Amino acid sequence: LRIVVPFTPGGASDILARAIAPQLAAALAETVVVENRPGAGGSVAAAEVARAEPDGRTLFMGHVGTLAVNPAVYPKLGYDPAKAFTPVAWVARVPNVLVVPAASPYRTFREFVDGVRARPGAVTFSSGGNGSAAHITMELLKLRARLFMLHIPYRGTAPSVADLLAGQVDSTFTGAPVVLPLVRGGRLRALAVSSVRRIPALPDVPTVAESGYAGFEADQWYGLVAPAGVPAAFVQRCNAEVNRALALPDVAEQLAREGAVPMPTTPQAFGELIRREIPRWAEVVKAGN
């Protein structure tokens, strides 16, 4: 049984897949392999899984970008997220964190916004690719705060953060699991989080909403889907085992340490989330051109 991750190792998708894979392997008495297939904001791997046999041998670690944003970004996507997949399990909700290098002149969110406005087009931000969660989160901030920044897309979150650490780019607004260790180690500075409330892992870091942009919310979400037509019994079994894994103390502790919030629920509820998010992010993509 393989879990296809649409990005390079080290990103939130990869971290979450590898957190639940051992639990799923033990529960199903199967060998579970995590397979990284980056490219085109995750759409390469998503299209491959959409074409896979619905035999319960392939799962896809989908997220807000691949399942809700990409239809608006890529005219010839190769898959319809509302029809090509069967929702299996919502794994986690992951707040995004706006970070800059430790040597950055921006020490607060307000300083960052003022600095970008003072130098329109000069301040850069990285992401894991066009249409990735980091990309659309910053685009939403740009729209709300009326900012003009230069986007530098990479083939995955890990390389985008590596260049941020090297000073090649000025900022990124990406998932907490990737940047939290670097914030704790003093290599990155957290300026704001995308969630409605502050996150326990960063209690002193304000939300964008409380920093003058009421209603701002752009958390990532991650979950497993299978090719459409997969047997219902497999979906129910997999859903139950993922939910059971998310309730285990060591898994819950690992996710909390990464800044992720477990989201055990039904396949139907996860499907409703996907359908709800597609038109929401289509508006952001259109407004951000």
Side-chain angles (χ1 to χ4, degrees):
L1 174 63
R2 64 181 182 139
I3 300 176
V4 179
V5 172
F7 298 106
T8 53
S13 297
D14 185 66
I15 290 170
L16 292 171
R18 294 182 190 280
I20 65 170
Q23 311 298 334
L24 203 55
L28 299 178
E30 298 268 8
T31 298
V32 178
V33 178
V34 176
E35 181 179 316
N36 298 88
R37 295 293 303 274
S43 62
V44 170
E48 176 194 312
V49 174
R51 295 190 297 266
E53 288 294 323
D55 55 7
R57 311 308 306 165
T58 305
L59 291 169
F60 178 66
M61 180 57 81
H63 83 312
V64 59
T66 49
L67 297 178
V69 177
N70 283 0
V73 175
Y74 298 95
K76 298 180 180 178
L77 189 58
Y79 66 95
D80 181 344
K83 298 178 180 179
F85 303 110
T86 297
V88 175
W90 185 356
V91 175
R93 180 171 56 81
V94 175
N96 289 299
V97 184
L98 174 62
V99 292
V100 295
S104 170
Y106 309 125
R107 305 195 65 83
T108 66
F109 177 73
R110 177 48 56 191
E111 288 181 1
F112 177 79
V113 170
D114 291 344
V116 173
R117 286 177 176 163
R119 299 192 301 140
V123 179
T124 58
F125 73 96
S126 66
S127 82
N130 287 316
S132 64
H135 182 194
I136 60 169
T137 300
M138 192 68 92
E139 290 294 340
L140 180 60
L141 177 61
K142 285 168 58 183
L143 289 169
R144 290 294 308 275
R146 297 181 181 179
L147 304 176
F148 177 37
M149 301 174 66
L150 179 62
H151 175 218
I152 311 295
Y154 288 78
R155 288 176 61 85
T157 301
S160 80
V161 173
D163 264 16
L164 177 66
L165 290 168
Q168 300 300 311
V169 289
D170 299 313
S171 62
T172 193
F173 205 162
T174 196
V178 183
V179 298
L180 273 180
L182 299 168
V183 171
R184 292 171 179 143
R187 301 181 67 191
L188 293 178
R189 180 181 303 129
L191 303 181
V193 295
S194 67
S195 49
V196 175
R197 299 177 182 83
R198 296 191 184 197
I199 61 176
L202 295 170
D204 298 326
V205 177
T207 67
V208 173
E210 71 181 271
S211 301
Y213 301 95
F216 185 96
E217 188 275 319
D219 287 358
Q220 300 184 38
W221 45 261
Y222 296 82
L224 294 172
V225 297
V230 70
F234 170 80
V235 173
Q236 293 301 326
R237 175 78 189 280
C238 235
N239 177 267
E241 296 303 343
V242 170
N243 289 347
R244 187 174 292 112
L246 293 175
L248 294 173
D250 56 339
V251 175
E253 182 182 343
Q254 180 182 356
L255 264 61
R257 191 166 57 247
E258 302 284 2
V261 180
M263 297 297 294
T265 187
T266 64
Q268 292 75 20
F270 184 39
E272 289 168 6
L273 171 75
I274 296 170
R275 289 187 290 273
R276 191 168 63 243
E277 288 279 271
I278 291 173
R280 178 195 178 202
W281 289 109
E283 292 180 4
V284 175
V285 171
K286 182 178 179 180
N289 193 30

